Amino acid sequence: MNGSIVLFGPPGAGKGTQASRMSKLTGKPQVSTGDMLRAAVAADTNLGREAKGYMEAGLLVPDEVIIGLISERLQQPDAESGLLLDGYPRTIIQAESLDEIESVSVVVSIEVPDDAIVQRIVGRRMDPETGKIYHIEFNPPPAEIADRVVQRKDDNEETVRSRLLAYHEQTAPLANWYGERGVLLRINGNQGIEEVGDSIESALLELSGKDA
Ligand code: ADP
Ligand code: ADP
């Protein structure tokens, strides 16, 4: 697969969790727009100051802000054989703009019902030293790092509702958009972490077999 792979799904679907295994499998560098934006907020750059309010309110950052960020990232030398895009595109406008500069080989859609999302997001924790994602119940951090894991500011029940609303209104229509282009791969995300990873891996291997 020569183009980029898009990881698609509602907030908390498990995109970040699956990304490192997929990155190893495909050799494509993982790029998370959420991580890039959080780094910009932490460094208090112009971009960070612009994005912060939207992120804390559970709203999408404006297209023109995020499109520039990804266009720049796609020009780096390691992006030549495509990237593993986690969390981008999230609007039709972002998808159209990506289409102009990069070929998308497959969109992996991790499908999880809304009622499972809130529980996943509220229990999410991150290890600030490694960036690894855990869940207090479904994937608990090892005892030796349990007191250093942190919870994201926007991972509370109220903000999750706004994020889900933004997802349904602005992002979900992309499934049809990519479906019409024949690149949408639907994966049942409502199973264990290993099982989701296995489903993605076998579907991608089958696709690359067809390519060859
Ligand atoms: P996203 O990147 O799509 O927002 P994450 O990968 O950060 O989602 O996962 C959200 C939360 O749900 C994390 O706490 C993660 O440990 C947990 N999680 C991810 N996949 C599963 C799964 N298949 N079953 C149960 N919990 C999961
Ligand atoms: P999650 O997968 O849990 O929704 P992310 O880490 O991907 O979280 O994103 C966190 C926040 O960053 C989003 O709620 C949104 O404000 C902003 N963001 C990330 N990616 C995009 C994007 N492609 N377009 C607009 N806003 C984005």
Side-chain angles (χ1 to χ4, degrees):
M1 268 177 225
N2 263 331
S4 287
I5 298 182
V6 169
L7 261 169
F8 177 79
K15 301 181 293 294
T17 299
Q18 299 300 336
S20 51
R21 177 170 168 183
M22 286 176 67
S23 177
K24 280 192 203 107
L25 177 74
T26 60
K28 297 186 195 293
Q30 173 191 354
V31 171
S32 154
T33 41
D35 286 348
M36 289 169 94
L37 290 169
R38 277 185 291 279
V41 172
D44 199 25
T45 62
N46 286 340
L47 169 69
R49 281 192 289 275
E50 201 169 348
K52 192 170 186 241
Y54 294 100
M55 295 170 77
E56 285 177 0
L59 302 172
L60 292 183
V61 168
D63 287 327
E64 58 275 20
V65 172
I66 199 94
I67 285 173
L69 194 68
I70 283 291
S71 307
E72 248 172 59
R73 183 64 187 84
L74 276 163
Q75 280 158 24
Q76 305 292 313
D78 68 344
E80 207 161 296
S81 321
L83 297 174
L84 177 61
L85 293 171
D86 163 7
Y88 188 88
R90 286 198 187 185
T91 63
I92 302 274
I93 290 176
Q94 291 176 20
E96 285 171 346
S97 118
L98 181 64
D99 214 29
E100 285 170 18
I101 54 170
E102 174 67 357
S103 118
V104 171
S105 303
V106 58
V107 175
V108 176
S109 169
I110 306 184
E111 307 196 334
V112 178
D114 282 8
D115 54 9
I117 290 296
V118 177
Q119 203 185 3
R120 283 197 189 181
I121 288 202
V122 173
R124 170 160 57 191
R125 298 293 184 274
M126 210 238 326
D127 178 0
E129 283 187 23
T130 62
K132 267 195 87 174
I133 303 158
Y134 295 94
H135 190 282
I136 47 172
E137 197 181 326
F138 306 135
N139 184 19
E144 59 276 20
I145 65 157
D147 52 5
R148 74 167 190 233
V149 296
V150 293
Q151 182 170 27
R152 268 168 50 179
K153 209 171 177 179
D154 57 343
D155 276 352
N156 59 74
E157 201 157 327
E158 197 192 324
T159 311
V160 174
R161 302 275 169 213
S162 327
R163 285 156 68 194
L164 268 175
L165 200 68
Y167 171 75
H168 286 295
E169 286 183 355
Q170 294 168 275
T171 307
L174 276 178
N176 272 341
W177 198 87
Y178 280 118
E180 285 166 4
R181 285 157 181 77
V183 291
L184 190 73
L185 185 67
R186 293 178 184 276
I187 299 289
N188 173 14
N190 201 15
Q191 42 180 349
I193 292 175
E194 283 301 310
E195 286 77 15
V196 175
D198 291 346
S199 306
I200 296 175
E201 184 162 332
S202 52
L204 286 181
L205 290 175
E206 194 179 322
L207 271 184
S208 53
K210 277 183 200 156
D211 267 3

